[in-house]
Amino acid sequence: EAAVVVPTLGRLTLAIAIDGAAEIKSDLIQLVGWILIIALVELIPVPVWRGVHVGLGFPLMMAVAFIYAPQVAAAVAFLAASDPRELKREVGLLRALFNRCQVALAVGSASLIFNQLADLETSGAPLLIAAAALASIADYVVNTTLVCVAASIHFWMNPLRVIRELKVG
């Protein structure tokens, strides 16, 4: 978990300091709105397997990924990725940070793919749909890979078995 948390937070902080501060400053009210809405929606957990939950905020996080630059989208995802278990203190700090970082990495990846392929203001519908599909796949692959590796270490299981036992997401 620390092997994901430390570099993710370091790189995200650096990316925001270099490229994202102006966008965050100019859109601060909207970004806070996105964070609050997604955080509230994420508090409705859907159990998947052995204490692993998925949130219902995926469509909202994808919207953020399409609208904002990758570092901004990742920061919103990190701050918004709430988990009811955090409020109940059922999840330790490192696990909570890992969960938030893996969501930030997935959403940041989706944003990077989408924004490299399409522009919301100038691209046609077919390109927007294709870019959104590829961005969603990127989010899924990054998210699933990180969750699978963490769960396989945590439960001392083969990663392929973890993938087979995941029901949703």
Side-chain angles (χ1 to χ4, degrees):
E1 292 168 340
V4 170
V5 170
V6 172
T8 300
L9 290 180
R11 178 65 179 112
L12 184 56
T13 302
L14 184 63
I16 289 171
I18 293 172
D19 295 324
E23 186 173 5
I24 289 173
K25 188 175 181 179
S26 68
D27 291 345
L28 186 60
I29 292 172
Q30 292 91 341
L31 293 170
V32 170
W34 280 110
I35 291 165
L36 293 174
I37 290 167
I38 294 169
L40 288 173
V41 169
E42 285 286 296
L43 289 176
I44 304 167
V46 177
V48 179
W49 173 75
R50 290 194 184 196
V52 176
H53 293 79
V54 293
L56 299 175
F58 175 76
L60 296 171
M61 287 196 196
M62 285 298 94
V64 169
F66 301 162
I67 295 168
Y68 296 102
Q71 64 274 15
V72 176
V76 167
F78 178 82
L79 294 171
S82 57
D83 183 339
R85 297 173 305 158
E86 289 178 22
L87 298 175
K88 298 175 194 170
R89 299 185 191 267
E90 295 173 355
V91 177
L93 178 62
L94 185 59
R95 172 70 52 86
L97 289 172
F98 170 81
N99 291 342
R100 288 171 177 267
C101 284
Q102 65 92 7
V103 172
L105 287 169
V107 172
S109 298
S111 180
L112 180 66
I113 300 273
F114 182 85
N115 287 295
Q116 289 294 312
L117 298 175
D119 182 283
L120 286 174
E121 294 181 18
T122 61
S123 298
L127 181 57
L128 289 171
I129 291 168
L134 290 172
S136 297
I137 290 168
D139 180 278
Y140 178 81
V141 168
V142 170
N143 187 304
T144 302
T145 300
L146 290 170
V147 168
C148 177
V149 170
S152 68
I153 293 168
H154 180 75
F155 295 116
W156 295 90
M157 293 174 65
N158 182 310
L160 295 176
R161 180 172 172 211
V162 173
I163 288 173
R164 282 193 308 268
E165 291 194 27
L166 286 176
K167 297 176 187 168
V168 177

